[in-house]
Amino acid sequence: MLGVVLWSDVSDRKAVIWCEDQGDLAYVNASSDVLNNDAFFDAGDLVQFDMETCQSMRFANNPRLVIEKAGQELPAVLKSGRDNDTNERRSADVIPLTKYRGARRDVAF
């Protein structure tokens, strides 16, 4: 699955991801494989991951960076509930992540 990182904490190695299926958010926690690397995700990064549901929570397993800062404006737009271009309040629009598919050819979807 694809998703955009909405929030991350580098020191705790945790992140919250908005998923392409527009369902519940997915969480990256300290047990994730990505934590073996020195680098960690920033808000706005497009990531690919395997989804696991445990006790009605969704977890992103094996998260991999697809495009750095691809959705950098997304956390702010979601927080404000406004479109930065029109500055108008919008209803619950679906924001497709499919435009990012094929942006990197070395990532299998």
Side-chain angles (χ1 to χ4, degrees), residues 11-86:
S11 62
D12 284 340
R13 310 297 272 184
K14 295 183 180 183
V16 177
I17 300 173
W18 188 26
C19 305
E20 70 179 319
D21 67 358
Q22 308 294 314
D24 291 338
L25 300 174
Y27 300 93
V28 176
N29 61 32
S31 65
S32 297
D33 296 338
V34 73
L35 303 177
N36 295 329
N37 300 332
D38 289 334
F40 195 69
F41 305 119
D42 290 319
D45 288 351
L46 180 69
V47 294
Q48 182 182 16
F49 54 94
D50 303 318
M51 179 72 67
E52 177 184 347
T53 303
C54 181
Q55 297 179 347
S56 74
M57 290 187 65
R58 291 169 33 144
F59 294 94
N61 291 330
N62 192 25
R64 297 151 323 266
L65 181 65
V66 176
I67 303 174
E68 191 173 34
K69 301 186 187 303
Q72 190 171 6
E73 74 287 345
L74 185 58
V77 170
L78 291 173
K79 183 176 179 182
S80 71
R82 300 177 187 275
D83 184 321
N84 288 343
D85 294 334
T86 64

